[in-house]
């Protein structure tokens, strides 16, 4: 198949109504993951530090529930579908946008595809029993960067990149830009207003958590201590040990849960 015909086929897939169902299934899975993250974060706020309050920890917790194995398989499959959707968007999507904005959105879609694929991979590792360790690889990633020429600066750049994502998520929540992703009717009436508030709270909470991760990477870069970096779980634990930490963590947990519920609304009223 020539590159031109392959691209034409990809565009046909992107325009096909069946892709809506692929996206909807993926968003439901994403919502389940965030609901479990919210639950684990709330448990963390009340003193339970046994489980990790990130996507991997959420998948592990799901696996321990009644009928957990089929649920995790379904979540993993849903995340694969979400990754496929975003990969198609990265390749041929956002055609209604002008060139600079189209490129930015396609790069963003590519990043989302990678993120969703990582969550799917984690789910399949958990359900197949090949993921028994709770060790986070974020610190080792930082250590590898530190070993490179200008490694300290590279870790600092990673911190800035993560911070930019966090700021954008908060901005997206506060300005309600996420409403572009759902049908106009999905934001109307009392139910629609509830959807809007779930989205606002959810995006702000996710952005705040991501900013926490950025702060850890920034601290690691400044101190040249890669073991000080970490993911969302490490960021939450750091905040937990601060004055009023449990209150802040509880609010973040509620925000994660709100985002999970918003994902269900997004799946119902998706506007690609």
């Amino acid at each position: 198949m020539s590159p031109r015909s392959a691209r034409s086929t990809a565009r046909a897939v992107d325009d096909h109504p069946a892709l809506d169902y692929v996206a909807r299934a993926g968003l439901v899975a994403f919502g389940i993951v965030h609901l479990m993250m919210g639950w684990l974060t709330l448990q963390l706020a009340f003193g339970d530090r046994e489980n990790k309050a990130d996507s991997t920890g959420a998948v592990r917790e799901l696996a321990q529930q009644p009928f957990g194995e089929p649920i995790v398989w379904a979540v993993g499959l849903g995340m694969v579908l979400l990754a496929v959707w975003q990969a198609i968007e990265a390749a041929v999507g956002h055609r209604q946008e002008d060139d600079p904005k189209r490129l930015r959105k396609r790069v963003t879609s590519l990043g989302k595809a990678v993120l969703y694929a990582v969550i799917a991979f984690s789910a399949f590792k958990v359900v197949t029993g090949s993921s028994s360790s709770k060790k986070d690889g974020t610190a080792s990633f930082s250590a590898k960067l530190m070993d490179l020429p200008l490694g300290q600066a590279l870790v600092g750049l990673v911190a800035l990149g993560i911070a930019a994502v966090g700021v954008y998520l908060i901005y997206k929540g506060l300005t309600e830009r996420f409403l572009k992703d759902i049908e106009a009717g999905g934001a109307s009436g009392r139910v629609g207003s509830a959807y809007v508030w779930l989205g606002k709270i959810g995006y702000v909470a996710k952005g705040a958590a991501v900013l926490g991760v950025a702060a850890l990477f920034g601290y690691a870069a400044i101190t040249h201590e890669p073991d000080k970096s970490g993911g969302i779980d490490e960021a939450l634990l750091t905040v937990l040990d601060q004055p009023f930490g449990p209150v802040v963590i509880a609010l973040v947990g509620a925000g994660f849960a709100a985002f999970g519920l918003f994902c269900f609304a997004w799946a119902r009223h998706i506007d690609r």
Side-chain angles (χ1 to χ4, degrees):
M1 181 182 290
S2 67
R4 179 174 294 181
S5 60
R7 196 170 187 82
S8 176
T9 301
R11 285 177 175 173
V13 172
D14 186 44
D15 292 335
H16 200 284
L19 194 60
D20 286 349
Y21 295 100
V22 170
R24 286 188 171 108
L27 288 171
V28 169
F30 204 39
I32 292 172
V33 170
H34 277 82
L35 282 177
M36 189 55 68
M37 285 177 62
W39 169 244
L40 292 175
T41 304
L42 288 171
Q43 286 185 314
L44 183 64
F46 290 104
D48 183 359
R49 302 190 179 204
E50 182 178 353
N51 296 307
K52 296 184 65 172
D54 56 12
S55 58
T56 302
V59 170
R60 288 197 182 101
E61 183 70 14
L62 279 172
Q64 296 173 10
Q65 306 308 310
F67 306 104
E69 187 170 321
I71 291 174
V72 174
W73 275 112
V75 166
L77 179 58
M79 298 313 301
V80 168
L81 294 175
L82 211 52
V84 168
W85 169 39
Q86 288 302 310
I88 293 172
E89 290 290 288
V92 296
H94 312 294
R95 298 195 298 276
Q96 72 279 11
E97 306 290 353
D98 295 332
D99 284 340
K101 191 173 184 180
R102 183 189 308 125
L103 177 61
R104 178 176 59 80
K105 287 199 169 187
R106 286 183 175 179
V107 171
T108 301
S109 291
L110 179 60
K112 289 179 180 179
V114 172
L115 171 64
Y116 300 149
V118 168
I119 298 176
F121 181 68
S122 298
F124 294 141
K125 284 184 67 177
V126 168
V127 82
T128 57
S130 59
S131 176
S132 57
S133 171
K134 293 187 178 182
K135 182 179 179 182
D136 190 358
T138 311
S140 61
F141 169 72
S142 299
K144 290 177 182 178
L145 281 181
M146 287 284 192
D147 290 337
L148 297 174
L150 301 176
Q152 201 167 354
L154 289 175
V155 175
L157 289 175
V158 170
L160 290 175
I162 295 173
V165 173
V167 170
Y168 176 72
L169 288 173
I170 293 174
Y171 169 74
K172 189 172 183 177
L174 293 176
T175 60
E176 302 180 2
R177 290 178 66 87
F178 57 86
L179 293 179
K180 294 182 178 180
D181 299 326
I182 66 175
E183 298 171 334
S188 62
R190 289 186 177 180
V191 175
S193 296
Y195 292 163
V196 172
W197 276 105
L198 288 172
K200 287 171 74 77
I201 295 169
Y203 272 103
V204 170
K206 279 171 63 72
V210 171
L211 283 178
V213 176
L216 291 181
F217 269 87
Y219 184 75
I222 293 170
T223 62
H224 206 283
E225 296 181 73
D227 59 320
K228 299 298 184 183
S229 64
I232 286 178
D233 186 66
E234 286 72 17
L236 293 175
L237 285 171
T238 301
V239 173
L240 185 65
D241 293 331
Q242 309 307 312
F244 303 106
V247 175
V248 175
I249 296 304
L251 291 174
V252 173
F256 283 157
F259 186 82
L261 294 174
F262 172 74
C263 284
F264 298 154
W266 186 2
R268 182 179 179 183
H269 299 284
I270 190 169
D271 183 15
R272 293 193 299 112

